[in-house]
mmCIF file of all heavy atoms in Angstrom:
data_model
loop_
_atom_site.group_PDB
_atom_site.id
_atom_site.type_symbol
_atom_site.label_atom_id
_atom_site.label_comp_id
_atom_site.label_asym_id
_atom_site.label_seq_id
_atom_site.Cartn_x
_atom_site.Cartn_y
_atom_site.Cartn_z
ATOM 1 N N LYS A 1 39.962 -45.077 11.445
ATOM 2 C CA LYS A 1 40.056 -44.726 10.026
ATOM 3 C C LYS A 1 40.878 -43.451 9.828
ATOM 4 O O LYS A 1 41.733 -43.376 8.939
ATOM 5 C CB LYS A 1 38.657 -44.548 9.430
ATOM 6 C CG LYS A 1 37.825 -45.806 9.353
ATOM 7 C CD LYS A 1 36.565 -45.603 8.504
ATOM 8 C CE LYS A 1 35.636 -44.566 9.121
ATOM 9 N NZ LYS A 1 34.406 -44.355 8.318
ATOM 10 N N VAL A 2 40.606 -42.438 10.659
ATOM 11 C CA VAL A 2 41.344 -41.175 10.563
ATOM 12 C C VAL A 2 42.816 -41.389 10.893
ATOM 13 O O VAL A 2 43.709 -40.873 10.215
ATOM 14 C CB VAL A 2 40.723 -40.120 11.505
ATOM 15 C CG1 VAL A 2 41.602 -38.875 11.572
ATOM 16 C CG2 VAL A 2 39.315 -39.751 11.044
ATOM 17 N N ALA A 3 43.075 -42.169 11.938
ATOM 18 C CA ALA A 3 44.451 -42.425 12.350
ATOM 19 C C ALA A 3 45.236 -43.180 11.277
ATOM 20 O O ALA A 3 46.431 -42.942 11.088
ATOM 21 C CB ALA A 3 44.460 -43.200 13.669
ATOM 22 N N LYS A 4 44.582 -44.075 10.574
ATOM 23 C CA LYS A 4 45.251 -44.803 9.494
ATOM 24 C C LYS A 4 45.678 -43.847 8.383
ATOM 25 O O LYS A 4 46.779 -43.975 7.826
ATOM 26 C CB LYS A 4 44.331 -45.894 8.937
ATOM 27 C CG LYS A 4 44.189 -47.115 9.836
ATOM 28 C CD LYS A 4 43.304 -48.163 9.189
ATOM 29 C CE LYS A 4 43.216 -49.417 10.040
ATOM 30 N NZ LYS A 4 42.365 -50.461 9.429
ATOM 31 N N TYR A 5 44.815 -42.898 8.064
ATOM 32 C CA TYR A 5 45.167 -41.919 7.033
ATOM 33 C C TYR A 5 46.318 -41.032 7.515
ATOM 34 O O TYR A 5 47.240 -40.729 6.745
ATOM 35 C CB TYR A 5 43.955 -41.062 6.671
ATOM 36 C CG TYR A 5 44.209 -40.128 5.503
ATOM 37 C CD1 TYR A 5 44.147 -40.603 4.193
ATOM 38 C CD2 TYR A 5 44.531 -38.790 5.701
ATOM 39 C CE1 TYR A 5 44.394 -39.775 3.112
ATOM 40 C CE2 TYR A 5 44.776 -37.942 4.636
ATOM 41 C CZ TYR A 5 44.710 -38.436 3.344
ATOM 42 O OH TYR A 5 44.956 -37.601 2.271
ATOM 43 N N ALA A 6 46.265 -40.613 8.787
ATOM 44 C CA ALA A 6 47.339 -39.804 9.343
ATOM 45 C C ALA A 6 48.670 -40.544 9.289
ATOM 46 O O ALA A 6 49.714 -39.949 9.014
ATOM 47 C CB ALA A 6 47.000 -39.411 10.787
ATOM 48 N N LYS A 7 48.634 -41.828 9.544
ATOM 49 C CA LYS A 7 49.851 -42.633 9.508
ATOM 50 C C LYS A 7 50.415 -42.688 8.093
ATOM 51 O O LYS A 7 51.635 -42.654 7.907
ATOM 52 C CB LYS A 7 49.552 -44.043 10.030
ATOM 53 C CG LYS A 7 50.797 -44.860 10.359
ATOM 54 C CD LYS A 7 50.430 -46.149 11.056
ATOM 55 C CE LYS A 7 51.687 -46.903 11.497
ATOM 56 N NZ LYS A 7 52.413 -46.162 12.585
ATOM 57 N N LYS A 8 49.541 -42.773 7.081
ATOM 58 C CA LYS A 8 49.984 -42.762 5.693
ATOM 59 C C LYS A 8 50.715 -41.464 5.351
ATOM 60 O O LYS A 8 51.622 -41.450 4.526
ATOM 61 C CB LYS A 8 48.789 -42.949 4.763
ATOM 62 C CG LYS A 8 48.214 -44.361 4.735
ATOM 63 C CD LYS A 8 47.054 -44.454 3.755
ATOM 64 C CE LYS A 8 46.477 -45.870 3.728
ATOM 65 N NZ LYS A 8 45.331 -45.980 2.782
ATOM 66 N N LEU A 9 50.288 -40.371 5.995
ATOM 67 C CA LEU A 9 50.930 -39.077 5.765
ATOM 68 C C LEU A 9 52.270 -38.958 6.491
ATOM 69 O O LEU A 9 53.004 -37.996 6.279
ATOM 70 C CB LEU A 9 50.007 -37.943 6.211
ATOM 71 C CG LEU A 9 48.720 -37.746 5.416
ATOM 72 C CD1 LEU A 9 47.883 -36.631 6.042
ATOM 73 C CD2 LEU A 9 49.013 -37.412 3.957
ATOM 74 N N GLY A 10 52.567 -39.920 7.348
ATOM 75 C CA GLY A 10 53.820 -39.877 8.091
ATOM 76 C C GLY A 10 53.704 -39.250 9.461
ATOM 77 O O GLY A 10 54.718 -39.012 10.137
ATOM 78 N N PHE A 11 52.469 -38.952 9.902
ATOM 79 C CA PHE A 11 52.256 -38.365 11.212
ATOM 80 C C PHE A 11 52.441 -39.398 12.327
ATOM 81 O O PHE A 11 52.299 -40.598 12.116
ATOM 82 C CB PHE A 11 50.851 -37.773 11.320
ATOM 83 C CG PHE A 11 50.623 -36.547 10.487
ATOM 84 C CD1 PHE A 11 49.344 -36.080 10.242
ATOM 85 C CD2 PHE A 11 51.681 -35.844 9.954
ATOM 86 C CE1 PHE A 11 49.116 -34.945 9.484
ATOM 87 C CE2 PHE A 11 51.468 -34.699 9.183
ATOM 88 C CZ PHE A 11 50.184 -34.260 8.948
ATOM 89 N N THR A 12 52.732 -38.885 13.510
ATOM 90 C CA THR A 12 52.763 -39.715 14.705
ATOM 91 C C THR A 12 51.373 -39.734 15.325
ATOM 92 O O THR A 12 50.766 -38.686 15.541
ATOM 93 C CB THR A 12 53.773 -39.161 15.728
ATOM 94 O OG1 THR A 12 55.091 -39.195 15.165
ATOM 95 C CG2 THR A 12 53.758 -39.987 17.009
ATOM 96 N N ASN A 13 50.866 -40.925 15.622
ATOM 97 C CA ASN A 13 49.538 -41.083 16.216
ATOM 98 C C ASN A 13 49.649 -41.454 17.692
ATOM 99 O O ASN A 13 50.285 -42.449 18.043
ATOM 100 C CB ASN A 13 48.747 -42.187 15.500
ATOM 101 C CG ASN A 13 48.206 -41.747 14.160
ATOM 102 O OD1 ASN A 13 47.842 -40.594 13.953
ATOM 103 N ND2 ASN A 13 48.139 -42.675 13.210
ATOM 104 N N ARG A 14 49.014 -40.660 18.536
ATOM 105 C CA ARG A 14 48.925 -40.976 19.956
ATOM 106 C C ARG A 14 47.461 -41.014 20.376
ATOM 107 O O ARG A 14 46.666 -40.220 19.890
ATOM 108 C CB ARG A 14 49.673 -39.936 20.788
ATOM 109 C CG ARG A 14 51.166 -39.865 20.480
ATOM 110 C CD ARG A 14 51.881 -38.878 21.359
ATOM 111 N NE ARG A 14 53.318 -38.865 21.078
ATOM 112 C CZ ARG A 14 54.197 -38.121 21.716
ATOM 113 N NH1 ARG A 14 53.781 -37.325 22.700
ATOM 114 N NH2 ARG A 14 55.490 -38.175 21.392
ATOM 115 N N ILE A 15 47.129 -41.903 21.260
ATOM 116 C CA ILE A 15 45.741 -42.015 21.705
ATOM 117 C C ILE A 15 45.681 -41.970 23.223
ATOM 118 O O ILE A 15 46.466 -42.623 23.909
ATOM 119 C CB ILE A 15 45.076 -43.302 21.154
ATOM 120 C CG1 ILE A 15 43.588 -43.330 21.515
ATOM 121 C CG2 ILE A 15 45.800 -44.562 21.603
ATOM 122 C CD1 ILE A 15 42.805 -44.393 20.761
ATOM 123 N N LEU A 16 44.748 -41.177 23.744
ATOM 124 C CA LEU A 16 44.489 -41.083 25.175
ATOM 125 C C LEU A 16 43.234 -41.898 25.452
ATOM 126 O O LEU A 16 42.148 -41.548 25.001
ATOM 127 C CB LEU A 16 44.280 -39.624 25.606
ATOM 128 C CG LEU A 16 45.321 -38.600 25.119
ATOM 129 C CD1 LEU A 16 45.031 -37.237 25.719
ATOM 130 C CD2 LEU A 16 46.728 -39.049 25.468
ATOM 131 N N THR A 17 43.359 -42.977 26.192
ATOM 132 C CA THR A 17 42.269 -43.940 26.313
ATOM 133 C C THR A 17 42.227 -44.570 27.691
ATOM 134 O O THR A 17 43.240 -44.654 28.393
ATOM 135 C CB THR A 17 42.426 -45.045 25.241
ATOM 136 O OG1 THR A 17 41.429 -46.047 25.418
ATOM 137 C CG2 THR A 17 43.802 -45.701 25.323
ATOM 138 N N ASN A 18 41.035 -45.026 28.071
ATOM 139 C CA ASN A 18 40.927 -45.820 29.303
ATOM 140 C C ASN A 18 41.262 -47.279 29.040
ATOM 141 O O ASN A 18 41.360 -48.075 29.978
ATOM 142 C CB ASN A 18 39.548 -45.676 29.948
ATOM 143 C CG ASN A 18 38.399 -46.104 29.051
ATOM 144 O OD1 ASN A 18 38.442 -47.148 28.401
ATOM 145 N ND2 ASN A 18 37.328 -45.303 29.020
ATOM 146 N N ALA A 19 41.411 -47.633 27.771
ATOM 147 C CA ALA A 19 41.887 -48.948 27.313
ATOM 148 C C ALA A 19 40.907 -50.084 27.553
ATOM 149 O O ALA A 19 41.224 -51.236 27.231
ATOM 150 C CB ALA A 19 43.248 -49.291 27.937
ATOM 151 N N THR A 20 39.732 -49.808 28.072
ATOM 152 C CA THR A 20 38.793 -50.893 28.369
ATOM 153 C C THR A 20 38.184 -51.513 27.119
ATOM 154 O O THR A 20 37.597 -52.598 27.182
ATOM 155 C CB THR A 20 37.656 -50.390 29.275
ATOM 156 O OG1 THR A 20 36.971 -49.313 28.631
ATOM 157 C CG2 THR A 20 38.192 -49.919 30.622
ATOM 158 N N LEU A 21 38.304 -50.834 25.987
ATOM 159 C CA LEU A 21 37.750 -51.357 24.738
ATOM 160 C C LEU A 21 38.807 -52.053 23.882
ATOM 161 O O LEU A 21 38.518 -52.472 22.759
ATOM 162 C CB LEU A 21 37.091 -50.220 23.939
ATOM 163 C CG LEU A 21 35.923 -49.508 24.640
ATOM 164 C CD1 LEU A 21 35.391 -48.368 23.781
ATOM 165 C CD2 LEU A 21 34.808 -50.495 24.965
ATOM 166 N N ILE A 22 39.999 -52.169 24.392
ATOM 167 C CA ILE A 22 41.064 -52.874 23.681
ATOM 168 C C ILE A 22 41.042 -54.343 24.076
ATOM 169 O O ILE A 22 41.087 -54.684 25.256
ATOM 170 C CB ILE A 22 42.436 -52.261 24.005
ATOM 171 C CG1 ILE A 22 42.476 -50.782 23.596
ATOM 172 C CG2 ILE A 22 43.546 -53.038 23.314
ATOM 173 C CD1 ILE A 22 43.746 -50.066 23.997
ATOM 174 N N ASP A 23 40.946 -55.212 23.090
ATOM 175 C CA ASP A 23 40.896 -56.645 23.377
ATOM 176 C C ASP A 23 41.570 -57.431 22.255
ATOM 177 O O ASP A 23 42.158 -56.849 21.334
ATOM 178 C CB ASP A 23 39.452 -57.127 23.580
ATOM 179 C CG ASP A 23 38.541 -56.814 22.392
ATOM 180 O OD1 ASP A 23 39.040 -56.788 21.239
ATOM 181 O OD2 ASP A 23 37.331 -56.605 22.613
ATOM 182 N N LYS A 24 41.490 -58.747 22.323
ATOM 183 C CA LYS A 24 42.164 -59.600 21.351
ATOM 184 C C LYS A 24 41.625 -59.431 19.936
ATOM 185 O O LYS A 24 42.307 -59.773 18.957
ATOM 186 C CB LYS A 24 42.046 -61.065 21.777
ATOM 187 C CG LYS A 24 40.614 -61.599 21.797
ATOM 188 C CD LYS A 24 40.574 -63.063 22.233
ATOM 189 C CE LYS A 24 39.151 -63.618 22.219
ATOM 190 N NZ LYS A 24 39.133 -65.044 22.653
ATOM 191 N N HIS A 25 40.411 -58.894 19.812
ATOM 192 C CA HIS A 25 39.790 -58.742 18.498
ATOM 193 C C HIS A 25 40.311 -57.517 17.732
ATOM 194 O O HIS A 25 40.309 -57.523 16.503
ATOM 195 C CB HIS A 25 38.270 -58.651 18.636
ATOM 196 C CG HIS A 25 37.651 -59.841 19.304
ATOM 197 N ND1 HIS A 25 37.637 -61.097 18.735
ATOM 198 C CD2 HIS A 25 37.037 -59.968 20.511
ATOM 199 C CE1 HIS A 25 37.044 -61.957 19.549
ATOM 200 N NE2 HIS A 25 36.671 -61.292 20.640
ATOM 201 N N ASN A 26 40.735 -56.487 18.435
ATOM 202 C CA ASN A 26 41.181 -55.271 17.743
ATOM 203 C C ASN A 26 42.636 -54.915 18.012
ATOM 204 O O ASN A 26 43.123 -53.906 17.500
ATOM 205 C CB ASN A 26 40.285 -54.083 18.109
ATOM 206 C CG ASN A 26 40.258 -53.770 19.606
ATOM 207 O OD1 ASN A 26 41.107 -54.225 20.374
ATOM 208 N ND2 ASN A 26 39.273 -52.979 20.029
ATOM 209 N N ILE A 27 43.332 -55.703 18.807
ATOM 210 C CA ILE A 27 44.692 -55.351 19.201
ATOM 211 C C ILE A 27 45.634 -55.223 18.009
ATOM 212 O O ILE A 27 46.481 -54.333 17.964
ATOM 213 C CB ILE A 27 45.255 -56.352 20.242
ATOM 214 C CG1 ILE A 27 46.634 -55.915 20.717
ATOM 215 C CG2 ILE A 27 45.294 -57.765 19.669
ATOM 216 C CD1 ILE A 27 46.644 -54.592 21.438
ATOM 217 N N GLU A 28 45.495 -56.082 17.019
ATOM 218 C CA GLU A 28 46.385 -56.036 15.862
ATOM 219 C C GLU A 28 46.232 -54.711 15.113
ATOM 220 O O GLU A 28 47.224 -54.056 14.775
ATOM 221 C CB GLU A 28 46.107 -57.208 14.913
ATOM 222 C CG GLU A 28 46.473 -58.573 15.463
ATOM 223 C CD GLU A 28 47.967 -58.802 15.506
ATOM 224 O OE1 GLU A 28 48.710 -58.011 14.886
ATOM 225 O OE2 GLU A 28 48.403 -59.762 16.185
ATOM 226 N N GLU A 29 44.990 -54.347 14.858
ATOM 227 C CA GLU A 29 44.710 -53.120 14.114
ATOM 228 C C GLU A 29 45.168 -51.890 14.898
ATOM 229 O O GLU A 29 45.779 -50.979 14.331
ATOM 230 C CB GLU A 29 43.214 -53.026 13.809
ATOM 231 C CG GLU A 29 42.830 -51.851 12.921
ATOM 232 C CD GLU A 29 41.364 -51.874 12.543
ATOM 233 O OE1 GLU A 29 40.531 -52.233 13.417
ATOM 234 O OE2 GLU A 29 41.045 -51.553 11.388
ATOM 235 N N LEU A 30 44.893 -51.884 16.181
ATOM 236 C CA LEU A 30 45.287 -50.751 17.011
ATOM 237 C C LEU A 30 46.805 -50.640 17.118
ATOM 238 O O LEU A 30 47.369 -49.550 17.041
ATOM 239 C CB LEU A 30 44.673 -50.884 18.409
ATOM 240 C CG LEU A 30 43.154 -50.753 18.489
ATOM 241 C CD1 LEU A 30 42.652 -51.082 19.892
ATOM 242 C CD2 LEU A 30 42.718 -49.350 18.096
ATOM 243 N N ALA A 31 47.467 -51.751 17.293
ATOM 244 C CA ALA A 31 48.925 -51.753 17.403
ATOM 245 C C ALA A 31 49.583 -51.262 16.124
ATOM 246 O O ALA A 31 50.623 -50.597 16.154
ATOM 247 C CB ALA A 31 49.420 -53.154 17.758
ATOM 248 N N ASP A 32 48.987 -51.574 14.986
ATOM 249 C CA ASP A 32 49.521 -51.125 13.699
ATOM 250 C C ASP A 32 49.262 -49.641 13.443
ATOM 251 O O ASP A 32 49.979 -49.012 12.664
ATOM 252 C CB ASP A 32 48.915 -51.940 12.552
ATOM 253 C CG ASP A 32 49.417 -53.370 12.517
ATOM 254 O OD1 ASP A 32 50.473 -53.646 13.128
ATOM 255 O OD2 ASP A 32 48.741 -54.217 11.893
ATOM 256 N N THR A 33 48.247 -49.090 14.097
ATOM 257 C CA THR A 33 47.783 -47.739 13.777
ATOM 258 C C THR A 33 48.364 -46.666 14.687
ATOM 259 O O THR A 33 48.704 -45.572 14.225
ATOM 260 C CB THR A 33 46.243 -47.682 13.849
ATOM 261 O OG1 THR A 33 45.686 -48.673 12.977
ATOM 262 C CG2 THR A 33 45.731 -46.313 13.427
ATOM 263 N N PHE A 34 48.503 -46.971 15.965
ATOM 264 C CA PHE A 34 48.909 -45.956 16.940
ATOM 265 C C PHE A 34 50.338 -46.195 17.425
ATOM 266 O O PHE A 34 50.748 -47.316 17.680
ATOM 267 C CB PHE A 34 47.938 -45.927 18.122
ATOM 268 C CG PHE A 34 46.553 -45.519 17.743
ATOM 269 C CD1 PHE A 34 45.577 -46.484 17.498
ATOM 270 C CD2 PHE A 34 46.222 -44.189 17.588
ATOM 271 C CE1 PHE A 34 44.289 -46.113 17.123
ATOM 272 C CE2 PHE A 34 44.940 -43.811 17.219
ATOM 273 C CZ PHE A 34 43.972 -44.772 16.978
ATOM 274 N N ASP A 35 51.065 -45.082 17.583
ATOM 275 C CA ASP A 35 52.464 -45.150 17.996
ATOM 276 C C ASP A 35 52.623 -45.142 19.516
ATOM 277 O O ASP A 35 53.589 -45.684 20.038
ATOM 278 C CB ASP A 35 53.245 -43.979 17.401
ATOM 279 C CG ASP A 35 53.167 -43.963 15.888
ATOM 280 O OD1 ASP A 35 53.795 -44.838 15.253
ATOM 281 O OD2 ASP A 35 52.459 -43.094 15.327
ATOM 282 N N LEU A 36 51.708 -44.494 20.199
ATOM 283 C CA LEU A 36 51.775 -44.441 21.659
ATOM 284 C C LEU A 36 50.366 -44.481 22.238
ATOM 285 O O LEU A 36 49.452 -43.830 21.736
ATOM 286 C CB LEU A 36 52.487 -43.167 22.136
ATOM 287 C CG LEU A 36 52.634 -43.004 23.654
ATOM 288 C CD1 LEU A 36 53.984 -42.403 24.010
ATOM 289 C CD2 LEU A 36 51.529 -42.107 24.243
ATOM 290 N N PHE A 37 50.227 -45.242 23.310
ATOM 291 C CA PHE A 37 48.968 -45.360 24.032
ATOM 292 C C PHE A 37 49.157 -44.757 25.425
ATOM 293 O O PHE A 37 49.956 -45.267 26.224
ATOM 294 C CB PHE A 37 48.542 -46.818 24.165
ATOM 295 C CG PHE A 37 48.218 -47.491 22.862
ATOM 296 C CD1 PHE A 37 49.226 -47.902 22.000
ATOM 297 C CD2 PHE A 37 46.895 -47.725 22.491
ATOM 298 C CE1 PHE A 37 48.931 -48.522 20.797
ATOM 299 C CE2 PHE A 37 46.594 -48.349 21.292
ATOM 300 C CZ PHE A 37 47.616 -48.741 20.444
ATOM 301 N N LYS A 38 48.450 -43.678 25.709
ATOM 302 C CA LYS A 38 48.464 -43.094 27.045
ATOM 303 C C LYS A 38 47.218 -43.572 27.763
ATOM 304 O O LYS A 38 46.096 -43.236 27.382
ATOM 305 C CB LYS A 38 48.500 -41.567 26.986
ATOM 306 C CG LYS A 38 48.676 -40.900 28.343
ATOM 307 C CD LYS A 38 48.882 -39.403 28.187
ATOM 308 C CE LYS A 38 49.121 -38.724 29.516
ATOM 309 N NZ LYS A 38 49.384 -37.263 29.365
ATOM 310 N N ILE A 39 47.416 -44.368 28.808
ATOM 311 C CA ILE A 39 46.325 -45.107 29.438
ATOM 312 C C ILE A 39 46.148 -44.663 30.884
ATOM 313 O O ILE A 39 47.105 -44.587 31.655
ATOM 314 C CB ILE A 39 46.606 -46.618 29.366
ATOM 315 C CG1 ILE A 39 46.731 -47.044 27.897
ATOM 316 C CG2 ILE A 39 45.505 -47.409 30.064
ATOM 317 C CD1 ILE A 39 47.233 -48.457 27.715
ATOM 318 N N SER A 40 44.925 -44.390 31.256
ATOM 319 C CA SER A 40 44.615 -43.926 32.597
ATOM 320 C C SER A 40 44.546 -45.088 33.584
ATOM 321 O O SER A 40 43.759 -46.008 33.411
ATOM 322 C CB SER A 40 43.276 -43.176 32.596
ATOM 323 O OG SER A 40 43.327 -42.057 31.729
ATOM 324 N N VAL A 41 45.387 -45.021 34.614
ATOM 325 C CA VAL A 41 45.355 -45.979 35.722
ATOM 326 C C VAL A 41 45.523 -45.174 37.005
ATOM 327 O O VAL A 41 46.555 -44.535 37.207
ATOM 328 C CB VAL A 41 46.461 -47.044 35.621
ATOM 329 C CG1 VAL A 41 46.365 -48.022 36.797
ATOM 330 C CG2 VAL A 41 46.383 -47.798 34.301
ATOM 331 N N ASP A 42 44.547 -45.200 37.871
ATOM 332 C CA ASP A 42 44.563 -44.314 39.033
ATOM 333 C C ASP A 42 44.815 -45.016 40.358
ATOM 334 O O ASP A 42 44.585 -44.448 41.422
ATOM 335 C CB ASP A 42 43.247 -43.535 39.110
ATOM 336 C CG ASP A 42 43.185 -42.445 38.048
ATOM 337 O OD1 ASP A 42 44.234 -42.022 37.557
ATOM 338 O OD2 ASP A 42 42.062 -42.033 37.703
ATOM 339 N N GLY A 43 45.301 -46.250 40.300
ATOM 340 C CA GLY A 43 45.637 -46.933 41.532
ATOM 341 C C GLY A 43 46.353 -48.246 41.269
ATOM 342 O O GLY A 43 46.173 -48.874 40.212
ATOM 343 N N SER A 44 47.169 -48.664 42.231
ATOM 344 C CA SER A 44 47.920 -49.906 42.078
ATOM 345 C C SER A 44 47.068 -51.134 42.340
ATOM 346 O O SER A 44 47.498 -52.261 42.075
ATOM 347 C CB SER A 44 49.120 -49.909 43.032
ATOM 348 O OG SER A 44 48.681 -49.820 44.387
#
C-alpha cells in the first residue's frame, strides 16, 4: 500500500526480499508496484 502511494508520487520503489512470498497470486501487483527487486541468493 505504501509503495503504491510512493509510485503515484513518482518515486522509485526498490524492495529487499528473500522472495519466498512471491507467487502467481501476487506477482502482477508486485510487478506493477516495485521497480527493482533485490533478492538474496547465497549459493548456486
Side-chain angles (χ1 to χ4, degrees):
K1 293 191 297 180
V2 172
K4 285 182 177 180
Y5 186 80
K7 194 172 185 68
K8 287 181 180 179
L9 293 177
F11 290 165
T12 298
N13 284 326
R14 298 183 178 182
I15 186 167
L16 311 184
T17 175
N18 59 45
T20 59
L21 299 178
I22 300 175
D23 56 31
K24 64 180 182 180
H25 301 293
N26 59 16
I27 184 63
E28 292 287 347
E29 186 175 39
L30 293 173
D32 289 341
T33 304
F34 296 97
D35 302 288
L36 181 141
F37 295 76
K38 187 173 183 177
I39 300 170
S40 300
V41 181
D42 286 338
S44 61

